[in-house]
Amino acid sequence: MKILVPVKRVVDYNVKVRVKSDNTGVDIANVKMSMNPFDEIAVEEAMRLKEKGVATEVIAVSCGVAQCQETLRTAMAIGADRAILVQTDVELQPLAVAKLLKALIDKEQPGLVLLGKQAIDDDCAQTGQMLAALADLPQATFASKVEVADGKATVTREVDGGLETISVTLPAIVTVDLRLNEPRYVTLPNIMKAKKKPLDIVTPQDLGIDVSPRLKIIKVCEPPKRSAGIMVPDVSTLVDKLRNEAKVI
């Protein structure tokens, strides 16, 4: 069984994000970029399934600029067997990514698609669900535990009320949550081995997909700075301020 793992190149989670002076977006010039943490967990889970003998091949996929090759090399250093880059300079939105992944699913015929539940840059949390709809495949989102056996995946999901366990028939789409696992440390020998693994580059045109943006970002701005707290003499004053100034009650 093949496992397809989409990975996204994002601003490193340790970096303080800066907004461009013209408010057109986030400034990524000279900023450290890395693999989306949720996608890294998906790669780790795919490797664990391969080590258990459930999967025979793990394929990492990324959509975006040429620098996404670095992210794919990281995925292969973790253990992915090969990688595919859908290279484009167009700003990709969730629907466009889902369409590109659908085309790759048709081509590669994986038994399982594992991807992060969301990316830490746009926080859309839409790609997995859109992909499941386009590919007409079962989906299990926000997975904190995944077990694969007898052509089915048993997935424990994190929901508002606690945990929910469902079973989906393979092939299926599974989006992973933070508590699924802890990704392994990437060693230098594996980084060197990853440089020799195959990395194929295709374009959206090769896949016959139109990735033109459907949405337009009007303005990006930083959240307002929080004002300092104040001390109140009694409960009645607190209630008055919550009602008349904060307007939360």
Side-chain angles (χ1 to χ4, degrees):
M1 180 180 78
K2 293 181 184 178
I3 299 181
L4 194 71
V5 188
V7 296
K8 186 176 184 182
R9 178 176 180 263
V10 299
V11 175
D12 190 88
Y13 66 91
N14 289 313
V15 174
K16 179 175 172 55
V17 175
R18 301 188 306 271
V19 175
K20 292 180 180 178
S21 57
D22 58 1
N23 296 113
T24 57
V26 173
D27 186 5
I28 59 172
N30 302 314
V31 170
K32 181 183 177 183
M33 307 292 283
S34 63
M35 186 189 302
N36 179 46
F38 290 99
D39 296 339
E40 191 173 1
I41 292 169
V43 176
E44 172 65 25
E45 190 64 22
M47 292 315 306
R48 294 187 184 189
L49 289 172
K50 184 182 177 184
E51 288 163 358
K52 291 177 183 176
V54 173
T56 55
E57 185 180 28
V58 175
I59 309 165
V61 178
S62 191
C63 306
V65 295
Q67 290 87 335
C68 290
Q69 292 183 48
E70 301 168 11
T71 307
L72 290 171
R73 292 293 177 194
T74 301
M76 289 190 285
I78 295 174
D81 299 289
R82 59 187 174 94
I84 302 171
L85 171 61
V86 183
Q87 186 171 321
T88 176
D89 292 327
V90 177
E91 183 180 349
L92 295 174
Q93 295 173 352
L95 181 58
V97 175
K99 288 180 177 179
L100 293 171
L101 295 177
K102 163 64 166 59
L104 291 176
I105 287 176
D106 292 341
K107 180 180 178 181
E108 295 290 342
Q109 295 293 311
L112 180 64
V113 180
L114 281 173
L115 66 161
K117 71 169 184 177
Q118 66 191 83
I120 62 171
D121 52 0
D122 55 21
D123 275 336
C124 285
Q126 296 174 343
T127 304
Q129 292 88 328
M130 288 178 170
L131 176 59
L134 290 172
D136 194 24
L137 292 175
Q139 64 173 310
T141 56
F142 316 138
S144 61
K145 185 178 180 181
V146 178
E147 295 178 346
V148 178
D150 301 325
K152 293 186 177 181
T154 303
V155 179
T156 301
R157 304 178 60 237
E158 297 197 1
V159 296
D160 292 340
L163 298 176
E164 176 187 53
T165 301
I166 64 172
S167 177
V168 292
T169 303
L170 300 180
I173 314 293
V174 176
T175 71
V176 308
D177 215 326
L178 280 176
R179 279 157 289 279
L180 179 60
N181 62 51
E182 184 174 339
R184 67 193 68 188
Y185 178 76
V186 179
T187 62
L188 182 58
N190 286 337
I191 293 174
M192 301 306 293
K193 289 177 184 176
K195 293 181 179 180
K196 298 180 180 179
K197 292 183 179 180
L199 193 161
D200 298 326
I201 300 176
V202 297
T203 65
Q205 291 74 26
D206 295 335
L207 300 174
I209 303 298
D210 178 15
V211 294
S212 302
R214 301 290 189 93
L215 306 174
K216 181 180 180 181
I217 297 176
I218 305 299
K219 184 178 181 182
V220 176
C221 56
E222 294 186 7
K225 289 182 171 58
R226 295 179 63 180
S227 57
I230 60 172
M231 299 291 290
V232 294
D234 50 45
V235 174
S236 60
T237 306
L238 172 63
V239 172
D240 179 67
K241 287 186 177 296
L242 289 174
R243 178 177 290 124
N244 300 312
E245 293 184 17
K247 299 188 184 301
V248 294
I249 61 173

